[in-house]
Amino acid sequence: MPVTGKPPDSWVKARRRIQRRDSRAKLRAMIRRPLTVLAVAAVLVLGLAVGITAGLKSEHIAGRYCQKVFVPAYFGASGWPQVSGAKHMPNAMILNPSTGIGAGTAPNPAFQAAVRQARQAGIAVLGYSSTADGTRPAAQILADVRHYKAWYGVNGIFLDSVNGTGAELGYYKRLANYIHRVIPGSSVWMNPGVYPERQYMSVSDVLMVFEGTYGQYRVAAVPGWARDYPADRFANTIYGAVTSSQANTAISLARSRNAGYVFVTNLSGSNPYSALPSYWTSEVTAITAGCRR
């Protein structure tokens, strides 16, 4: 079986996101002061889905929220047991069984087994589907949703390469409504990689509002409106944090920036999600410190 080692899209997407972030920052600086810094029908399976979905909510303990761990599992099925069978498990994993586009044209038996193990362990699994910055035909993404449900029994969908502008809001609203209808109780994650226009909070369950390098993350800004929402509505992905000390700094920054979901890795290059970070165990401990999981 071929191993999926290819990133979700051409890595040009990362440069596009950086350009969009920079251009938005410049525009905001001109018009106002700088911004302050993710179905099943059988009753038993429905019960499991509800329990896993509940695990996607950030708890509040001792006056602060508990961050959650997720993994963009853009590696082969053989690597999944290292995550789902470990003592320290994430709350969610993103399934990318094809070549960075969507569900593919047929089910992959190895990934089916890996997903079953992950879900039995209480991990929510999100099916990956690229929207190509709002240019991919909606019919293709809707087919991905049906395939992910039928082939893998996912808990939700991760929509990548989201162009978070008002012009595409209707497109993403249609996708989100369809996902919720086809996969009851599902979570819809959207990844613009930067803060989109605020209206996207109404069409997504979780927004990945940062995807970039550790260096970029240290100076990233957060719009004031982000504080109006629970932390479990936001996810941050940071790659190129070479040491565990840098990872801890990124985790601390994520907490201060109201990000309920966090993934940090020392990897970089064309696919920084091709394996778990070298400091995986200590990362999970740092993210979930003081929480039940």
Side-chain angles (χ1 to χ4, degrees):
M1 182 202 70
V3 174
T4 303
K6 188 176 178 181
D9 286 312
S10 167
W11 211 246
V12 172
K13 70 174 186 177
R15 291 195 292 272
R16 289 202 306 268
R17 287 172 179 159
I18 293 169
Q19 291 167 354
R20 289 203 302 269
R21 178 170 60 235
D22 291 345
S23 62
R24 289 173 187 170
K26 291 176 182 177
L27 178 61
R28 289 164 180 155
M30 288 188 294
I31 61 176
R32 62 178 183 270
R33 64 182 184 179
L35 299 174
T36 60
V37 158
L38 190 288
V40 278
V43 173
L44 290 177
V45 180
L46 272 173
L48 174 62
V50 170
I52 292 175
T53 302
L56 291 174
K57 300 298 183 182
S58 294
E59 324 169 356
H60 290 262
I61 295 178
R64 71 172 181 86
Y65 67 86
C66 288
Q67 290 176 302
K68 301 295 185 181
V69 185
F70 74 96
V71 177
Y74 303 157
F75 41 77
S78 61
W80 277 54
Q82 182 183 358
V83 182
S84 58
K87 177 181 178 181
H88 301 282
M89 295 184 298
N91 294 85
M93 296 178 71
I94 303 173
L95 170 67
N96 180 27
S98 188
T99 57
I101 298 298
T105 58
N108 184 312
F111 275 112
Q112 287 179 316
V115 170
R116 280 196 300 271
Q117 180 179 349
R119 295 196 64 214
Q120 288 169 0
I123 301 171
V125 178
L126 309 172
Y128 176 96
S129 185
S130 172
T131 69
D133 289 318
T135 65
R136 188 176 176 214
Q140 295 182 11
I141 301 170
L142 302 185
D144 279 342
V145 174
R146 295 190 298 272
H147 291 156
Y148 274 123
K149 176 192 176 185
W151 298 343
Y152 302 104
V154 298
N155 304 97
I157 299 294
F158 179 85
L159 297 177
D160 197 18
S161 294
V162 170
N163 192 354
T165 63
E168 288 80 23
L169 187 64
Y171 168 89
Y172 289 107
K173 182 176 182 179
R174 177 190 175 192
L175 296 179
N177 288 342
Y178 186 83
I179 293 167
H180 286 306
R181 185 166 68 251
V182 172
I183 310 176
S186 58
S187 184
V188 178
W189 289 40
M190 295 187 184
N191 180 22
V194 296
Y195 283 91
E197 294 189 15
R198 185 171 183 168
Q199 300 98 301
Y200 278 78
M201 296 300 296
S202 68
V203 298
S204 65
D205 296 303
V206 179
L207 276 174
M208 187 176 290
V209 292
F210 182 88
E211 182 184 11
T213 68
Y214 173 72
Q216 294 163 350
Y217 193 60
R218 292 189 65 185
V219 296
V222 181
W225 58 258
R227 304 286 179 181
D228 297 336
Y229 299 90
D232 57 23
R233 299 294 306 278
F234 302 105
N236 286 177
T237 300
I238 306 99
Y239 52 85
V242 179
T243 66
S244 59
S245 177
Q246 289 183 344
N248 288 338
T249 297
I251 292 165
S252 179
L253 282 172
R255 185 174 290 118
S256 71
R257 293 171 181 175
N258 200 40
Y261 292 93
V262 187
F263 178 78
V264 187
T265 181
N266 59 297
L267 302 180
S268 57
S270 62
N271 183 9
Y273 317 125
S274 60
L276 290 175
S278 60
Y279 39 67
W280 173 244
T281 300
S282 62
E283 174 178 339
V284 176
T285 300
I287 292 174
T288 61
C291 301
R292 289 193 293 271
R293 183 184 182 201

